[in-house]
Amino acid sequence: MTSGRAPARPAGVRSHNLALLLWSVVQEPSSRADLASRTGLTKAAVSGMVDDLVERQLLDEDPPAVTGRGRPSRLLRLHPNAPTAVGLELNVDYVAAVRTTLDGHELAAHRAEIDSRALPWRELTRHLVAAWRAVVRPSGAPVLGSGIAVPGVVDHAGVVLRATNVPALTGANVAAAVATGLRVSRRSLVVDNEANLAALAERHAPMAERDFVYVSGEVGVGAGLVIGGALFRGAGGMAGELGHVSIESKGRPCGCGGQGCVEQYAGQDALLRAAGVTSVDALVAGLRDGRRRYVRAVAEAGSALGVGLAGLLNVIDVPTVVLGGLYAQVFEHLAPAVRDELDRRVLAADVRRPTVRAAHTGPEAAVRGAAAVVVQRALADGTTLFS
Ligand SMILES: [Zn+2]
């Protein structure tokens, strides 16, 4: 839709309304009558646009029932050939891809272990392109667009301003490079920080709160801030760098140039080092056996995380902390220490104790969020799909 007081152009209004109807069916299969009552559009207008959506192979309508009295309502569903969305994630030690339907049903997934810290940008692009090709079949339903999650600060133009743990990403125009590699339009790609996209996936999980901090525990520690149901990205897209909040002014040096950053105490590398293991799987197995050194290492990481989070919660006043990524895997041992620090340090805790819970979405949250952001953008105004 156009903004301001100028009347919207008819073509824009139609795109918007087509997207609105499609979005409605993405939420749940509906009859034409349901769509009219839900959107406030006239039944005739809905019918004309539904015919258009069926013709475009975006929607499919159940066949008329052969028995029964009255006119049974025929449900509209997504057409099997409706466009799909691709999510990509480049992280410190893996690259992942997923292809989903517009309503989030997973059609294909791929994951490969890589060491992105050691690879030049050209190689990282090659891995992203290969991951995309692993989930897209040339003969399958068309691809609407692709979202790309990266472990770094991304500006509104999709350029990575800073990626402390993957140096080759800093300054990279990820969308432009991947678009060239895939020979697709740059405009079909969206790039964002992995914690932001994971928070978006969590926001769309059933029963999700409207206000929460999603903490992504990987080698880096990032936070996605969901406030009033929407992702808060800050003035320049740089909000949520929880891993680089300092909890000790003369503390351990950090790759960001600072000292005493949360990541140096609660990030995956620091945690594994403290436990004396080399992999997350070994850590999780040791915790299951109750190995005291592992349990202590996780509790110490939880305290450090809790101190950083308490500062954040005192500033933005959200009631819920969602722990994702590695933190969800060790939640049982991590959460008590996080809760202790929040209870002691968050001023609002006296009247409303912060909730700390594990993410509903699994380790694939960021890559799923990357696919979801493409759908959200396309259905927000319909111009990508209908102009
Ligand atoms: Zn730092």
Side-chain angles (χ1 to χ4, degrees), residues 34-113:
D34 294 337
L35 291 177
S37 70
R38 212 178 298 151
T39 58
L41 297 165
T42 65
K43 282 186 181 171
V46 166
S47 240
M49 285 188 286
V50 163
D51 288 343
D52 189 353
L53 291 167
V54 169
E55 198 171 307
R56 290 169 189 257
Q57 295 202 327
L58 287 162
L59 294 184
D60 217 1
E61 194 162 29
D62 284 352
V66 288
T67 56
R69 287 190 299 171
R71 280 176 45 184
S73 66
R74 297 163 62 189
L75 289 183
L76 293 150
R77 307 170 191 279
L78 277 180
H79 194 283
N81 290 341
T84 56
V86 173
L88 294 173
E89 180 186 4
L90 177 69
N91 220 312
V92 177
D93 44 9
Y94 63 90
V95 60
V98 68
R99 187 161 59 88
T100 73
T101 57
L102 295 180
D103 56 355
H105 177 67
E106 184 178 303
L107 298 169
H110 168 84
R111 185 179 164 110
E113 308 300 319

Side-chain angles (χ1 to χ4, degrees), residues 15-236:
S15 296
H16 176 86
N17 286 338
L18 285 167
L20 183 64
L21 296 179
L22 185 55
W23 177 250
S24 210
V25 176
V26 163
Q27 302 308 303
E28 64 178 314
S30 317
S31 67
R32 293 177 186 231
D34 294 337
L35 291 177
S37 70
R38 212 178 298 151
T39 58
L41 297 165
T42 65
K43 282 186 181 171
V46 166
S47 240
M49 285 188 286
V50 163
D51 288 343
D52 189 353
L53 291 167
V54 169
E55 198 171 307
R56 290 169 189 257
Q57 295 202 327
L58 287 162
L59 294 184
D60 217 1
E61 194 162 29
D62 284 352
V66 288
T67 56
R69 287 190 299 171
R71 280 176 45 184
S73 66
R74 297 163 62 189
L75 289 183
L76 293 150
R77 307 170 191 279
L78 277 180
H79 194 283
N81 290 341
T84 56
V86 173
L88 294 173
E89 180 186 4
L90 177 69
N91 220 312
V92 177
D93 44 9
Y94 63 90
V95 60
V98 68
R99 187 161 59 88
T100 73
T101 57
L102 295 180
D103 56 355
H105 177 67
E106 184 178 303
L107 298 169
H110 168 84
R111 185 179 164 110
E113 308 300 319
I114 60 167
D115 181 3
S116 357
R117 285 186 272 208
L119 296 175
W121 170 230
R122 198 181 62 252
E123 280 293 298
L124 296 178
T125 309
R126 201 177 58 76
H127 278 291
L128 282 168
V129 168
W132 190 94
R133 294 198 197 286
V135 296
V136 175
R137 281 182 301 119
S139 58
V143 173
L144 178 61
S146 309
I148 309 172
V150 294
V153 177
V154 181
D155 71 9
H156 291 301
V159 174
V160 181
L161 299 178
R162 184 168 201 162
T164 310
N165 292 311
V166 185
L169 264 179
T170 301
N173 190 328
V174 179
V178 173
T180 305
L182 290 173
R183 297 197 184 122
V184 298
S185 155
R186 155 73 185 83
R187 293 205 338 246
S188 69
L189 302 176
V190 191
V191 185
D192 204 344
N193 171 267
E194 48 103 14
N196 283 348
L197 292 173
L200 200 63
E202 187 70 20
R203 168 73 186 112
H204 288 98
M207 321 245 290
E209 302 86 347
R210 288 179 58 78
D211 301 281
F212 63 89
V213 179
Y214 177 96
V215 186
S216 161
E218 305 284 348
V219 171
V221 178
L225 312 178
V226 174
I227 298 172
L231 191 63
F232 176 80
R233 302 180 79 257

Side-chain angles (χ1 to χ4, degrees), residues 162 164 241-246 252-264:
R162 184 168 201 162
T164 310
E241 288 299 308
L242 177 65
H244 299 288
V245 167
S246 179
R252 296 175 190 169
C254 181
C256 72
Q259 273 183 281
C261 294
V262 166
E263 198 165 293
Q264 298 307 317

